[in-house]
Amino acid sequence: MEDAKMVKIGDINLSDDPAVTLTIRLIMQGKEVGSIIGKKGEIVKRFREESGAKINISDCSCPERIVTVSGSRSAIYKAFTLITKKFEEWCSQFQDNANTQGKPQIPIRLIVPASQCGSLIGKGGSKIKEIREITGCSIQVASEMLPNSTERAVTLSGSAEAITQCIYHICCVMLESPPKGATIPYRPKPQVNGPVIVANGQAYTIQGNYAVPAQEVSGIAKNPLAGLAALGLAGAIPSNTGGLNPTALAALAGSQLRTNNNRNVAPVQSQSHEMTVPNDLIGCIIGKGGTKIAEIRQISGAMIRISNCEERDSGNTDRTITITGNPDSVALAQYLINMSIHSPTCATSVCVPV
């Protein structure tokens, strides 16, 4: 059985047509993704150079981050060889997930269009069983789609080598069976506190049909951003907001921020925050004729700069947004940008140069 396995793994052809490209996306938690980014992005930059693949990592405002690897089949194989090896090194500090050989069994969560999952599983599970036997990697395909998308999570578990081999075979399946119909990609939601209702100085969180007393939030009146969360921006807007939409609530918080800033005797130290956005979504933030970005600047009071297409690194499809201002203004601008990206109309956005 071992001999047969080695023969099949040896059949991997790394001299494929570089003109044929595909994209593999995976979900990683914040601490996990740091292991492949490195200080000032030095590790992921090296991975891009050594593999020839495009590797992009979504903004850090969400608990989950999306790592997108694009290129030829061989470039993706080389990229994942580097990524999984580095991730395995990071996981080795947690020896609870080590196998009998001492190598940690690392988990990787891929995102695969639901229309391709049938081909990955195969008739009666034959294809997924074959890949398991060839690579020694555990594969589990989620039965439910990821929230607000037409994609499913495919969880791989094994050694770095086994997972890399498995991803190669998954690439082969994806090339042979392209996705059918339109794919709605999974996008993690920014981490925002759930809706809170404040009555008579007491905060209540909504759990099912009940209002459960929460910790006191006397600072809500002093902190507009806390008030913003209290008005329910993370989910359904409570009835006590008078039907205001999230943009109106953000504008209210922005006006409170400016009022508070005008009252401050000592100036608040300015700070900068950078976030990256895929180029095909930048139009959601800029808006027609720059109207949306002007609105975000006005509401938040922050200075916002979006890098030009010419400023991107070679092979990088992301745009860098630099937000400067006091901490509350920066946080509000970041929220408004994320709200623009996740709006229903964002799917039709285009790159608008600034």
Side-chain angles (χ1 to χ4, degrees):
M1 182 65 186
E2 290 296 325
D3 292 339
K5 184 184 296 186
M6 291 303 294
V7 169
K8 289 188 176 181
I9 290 177
D11 289 341
I12 288 179
N13 177 17
L14 297 182
S15 60
D16 56 355
D17 184 358
V20 179
T21 63
L22 71 159
T23 298
I24 298 291
R25 298 166 68 229
L26 61 146
I27 306 171
M28 297 186 81
Q29 300 297 320
K31 291 182 179 180
E32 296 174 343
V33 81
S35 66
I36 65 169
I37 294 177
K39 189 176 182 180
K40 296 183 179 180
E42 58 186 15
I43 294 177
V44 72
K45 182 179 179 181
R46 176 168 59 85
F47 287 177
R48 291 187 185 115
E49 294 171 351
E50 292 185 11
S51 67
K54 297 178 181 178
I55 307 173
N56 295 317
I57 301 171
S58 64
D59 179 60
C60 60
S61 60
C62 303
E64 292 181 332
R65 301 183 69 178
I66 305 297
V67 180
T68 304
V69 184
S70 302
S72 66
R73 188 166 45 183
S74 61
I76 288 177
Y77 179 85
K78 292 173 185 176
F80 272 100
T81 298
L82 297 167
I83 289 171
T84 55
K85 184 178 180 181
K86 177 58 69 174
F87 188 43
E88 186 178 64
E89 290 175 3
W90 182 80
C91 289
S92 64
Q93 59 188 304
F94 311 108
Q95 289 301 317
D96 289 344
N97 60 349
N99 61 15
T100 54
Q101 283 74 39
K103 286 189 176 182
Q105 300 292 285
I106 62 174
I108 294 288
R109 291 178 67 202
L110 301 183
I111 306 173
V112 177
S115 60
Q116 290 180 297
C117 286
S119 300
L120 177 59
I121 295 171
K123 188 175 181 180
S126 57
K127 189 63 180 180
I128 199 169
K129 182 181 178 182
E130 177 189 351
I131 296 175
R132 285 183 186 129
E133 292 176 349
I134 290 173
T135 64
C137 179
S138 169
I139 314 174
Q140 292 183 329
V141 180
S143 58
E144 300 293 332
M145 294 185 192
L146 290 162
N148 304 313
S149 76
T150 57
E151 297 184 306
R152 295 186 189 179
V154 177
T155 304
L156 312 180
S157 180
S159 67
E161 181 182 0
I163 287 179
T164 304
Q165 305 287 356
C166 184
I167 289 174
Y168 177 87
H169 287 283
I170 290 174
C171 286
C172 295
V173 173
M174 296 177 76
L175 285 173
E176 293 170 0
S177 305
K180 300 176 181 67
T183 298
I184 301 174
Y186 170 64
R187 291 176 184 149
K189 294 291 184 182
Q191 188 172 24
V192 185
N193 291 330
V196 179
I197 294 177
V198 181
N200 300 323
Q202 173 65 53
Y204 298 88
T205 59
I206 305 304
Q207 298 182 11
N209 297 323
Y210 299 93
V212 179
Q215 295 179 349
E216 288 190 19
V217 283
S218 56
I220 281 182
K222 300 177 183 177
N223 187 339
L225 294 181
L228 204 60
L231 289 173
L233 286 181
I237 305 298
S239 58
N240 66 336
T241 64
L244 292 175
N245 60 40
T247 304
L249 294 171
L252 176 62
S255 67
Q256 291 177 356
L257 279 177
R258 288 188 290 276
T259 300
N260 288 353
N261 291 339
N262 291 336
R263 291 174 180 171
N264 287 339
V265 177
V268 179
Q269 187 174 4
S270 179
Q271 68 177 34
S272 290
H273 173 78
E274 284 191 357
M275 56 191 297
T276 57
V277 174
N279 190 53
D280 58 351
L281 298 180
I282 204 69
C284 305
I285 300 166
I286 297 174
K288 188 175 182 180
T291 54
K292 174 57 70 174
I293 190 67
E295 178 186 41
I296 295 173
R297 288 182 178 124
Q298 182 179 10
I299 290 175
S300 66
M303 294 177 59
I304 305 171
R305 182 183 180 278
I306 302 176
S307 64
N308 295 323
C309 291
E310 294 79 14
E311 296 178 30
R312 294 176 293 176
D313 294 335
S314 178
N316 187 2
T317 59
D318 286 353
R319 302 280 286 277
T320 301
I321 300 176
T322 305
I323 309 169
T324 306
N326 66 54
D328 284 342
S329 293
V330 170
L332 181 56
Q334 189 177 354
Y335 168 79
L336 289 167
I337 289 170
N338 281 314
M339 190 172 68
S340 299
I341 294 173
H342 291 92
S343 67
T345 58
C346 189
T348 60
S349 67
V350 294
C351 175
V352 181
V354 291

